[in-house]
Amino acid sequence: MSIPGPPSPDGVLAGPPEGLEAGDLTPGLSDTSPDEGLIEDLTIEDKAVEQLTEGLLSHYLPDLQRSKQALQELTQNQVVLLDTLEQEISKFKECHSMLDINALFTEAKHYHAKLVNIRKEMLMLHEKTSKLKKRALKLQQKRQKEELEREQQREKEFEREKQLTAKPAKRT
């Protein structure tokens, strides 16, 4: 075997090793195709394939089984989380509906207060109209009484005038 020449300052070989000229074949290397010996190397026994397969499975199978178990646990946890999330969503919807119910109760209180005020006003107006009717009745009675008194006064005056007017003497 020949030893290559001293390396150049940048670490790359500057030329062919000593004793070889450029273009000479390198000793120990054949000029045949690299694929020619491959067919001979591929004839491996079935037992070796089985042993390699078993070794590969024994090496990776426990990790794969643990991964499978971990994925199953994650899936179960995910199902539990989804159920919990659905329950929380339903609780949120209930709370939202409770807010709507609270708003309705607040609105009902508001309208109840309005109705109470309207009722008070109606009672007050009823009292006022009752008082006005009584007053109107009293005034009407007073006017009728005054009118009656005036009428009676007129009749008395008429009677008095009648009695005061001179009467012709009766001739008998």
Side-chain angles (χ1 to χ4, degrees), residues 45-94:
E45 297 180 13
D46 288 338
K47 191 174 185 180
V49 170
E50 239 179 85
Q51 287 177 347
L52 287 172
T53 305
E54 287 176 12
L56 186 67
L57 284 176
S58 67
H59 184 267
Y60 288 110
L61 192 60
D63 289 338
L64 289 174
Q65 287 175 341
R66 282 193 299 268
S67 297
K68 181 180 177 182
Q69 183 66 28
L71 285 174
Q72 287 175 342
E73 287 179 24
L74 283 173
T75 305
Q76 289 174 350
N77 289 340
Q78 197 173 28
V79 168
V80 169
L81 283 174
L82 285 173
D83 289 341
T84 306
L85 185 62
E86 286 178 12
Q87 291 173 357
E88 291 298 321
I89 288 172
S90 66
K91 286 180 184 177
F92 179 74
K93 286 180 181 177
E94 287 176 18

Side-chain angles (χ1 to χ4, degrees), residues 108-124:
K109 285 180 185 178
H110 174 72
Y111 285 117
H112 182 285
K114 277 188 170 184
L115 286 173
V116 167
N117 286 338
I118 289 172
R119 186 170 184 224
K120 285 180 183 178
E121 284 184 38
M122 289 180 70
L123 287 173
M124 185 179 68

Side-chain angles (χ1 to χ4, degrees), residues 22-169:
D24 288 344
L25 289 177
T26 310
L29 294 179
S30 67
D31 54 347
T32 59
S33 170
D35 292 339
E36 285 181 17
L38 189 58
I39 295 173
E40 296 166 4
D41 293 339
L42 284 178
T43 54
I44 301 174
E45 297 180 13
D46 288 338
K47 191 174 185 180
V49 170
E50 239 179 85
Q51 287 177 347
L52 287 172
T53 305
E54 287 176 12
L56 186 67
L57 284 176
S58 67
H59 184 267
Y60 288 110
L61 192 60
D63 289 338
L64 289 174
Q65 287 175 341
R66 282 193 299 268
S67 297
K68 181 180 177 182
Q69 183 66 28
L71 285 174
Q72 287 175 342
E73 287 179 24
L74 283 173
T75 305
Q76 289 174 350
N77 289 340
Q78 197 173 28
V79 168
V80 169
L81 283 174
L82 285 173
D83 289 341
T84 306
L85 185 62
E86 286 178 12
Q87 291 173 357
E88 291 298 321
I89 288 172
S90 66
K91 286 180 184 177
F92 179 74
K93 286 180 181 177
E94 287 176 18
C95 288
H96 191 65
S97 65
M98 291 299 284
L99 290 176
D100 291 343
I101 291 172
N102 287 338
L104 287 175
F105 276 118
T106 305
E107 193 174 351
K109 285 180 185 178
H110 174 72
Y111 285 117
H112 182 285
K114 277 188 170 184
L115 286 173
V116 167
N117 286 338
I118 289 172
R119 186 170 184 224
K120 285 180 183 178
E121 284 184 38
M122 289 180 70
L123 287 173
M124 185 179 68
L125 290 173
H126 177 69
E127 288 177 16
K128 283 184 179 181
T129 53
S130 296
K131 287 179 183 178
L132 286 174
K133 283 181 183 178
K134 285 181 184 178
R135 186 174 175 202
L137 184 61
K138 284 181 183 179
L139 287 173
Q140 186 180 9
Q141 288 174 350
K142 185 178 177 183
R143 284 185 188 152
Q144 286 176 352
K145 186 177 179 182
E146 288 175 356
E147 190 69 31
L148 184 61
E149 287 176 359
R150 276 191 230 132
E151 188 66 33
Q152 287 175 351
Q153 187 71 23
R154 276 191 222 137
E155 282 182 23
K156 283 182 185 179
E157 286 179 17
F158 182 69
E159 283 294 320
R160 199 185 269 175
E161 278 186 34
K162 202 177 184 185
Q163 285 176 0
L164 290 177
T165 53
K167 295 184 184 177

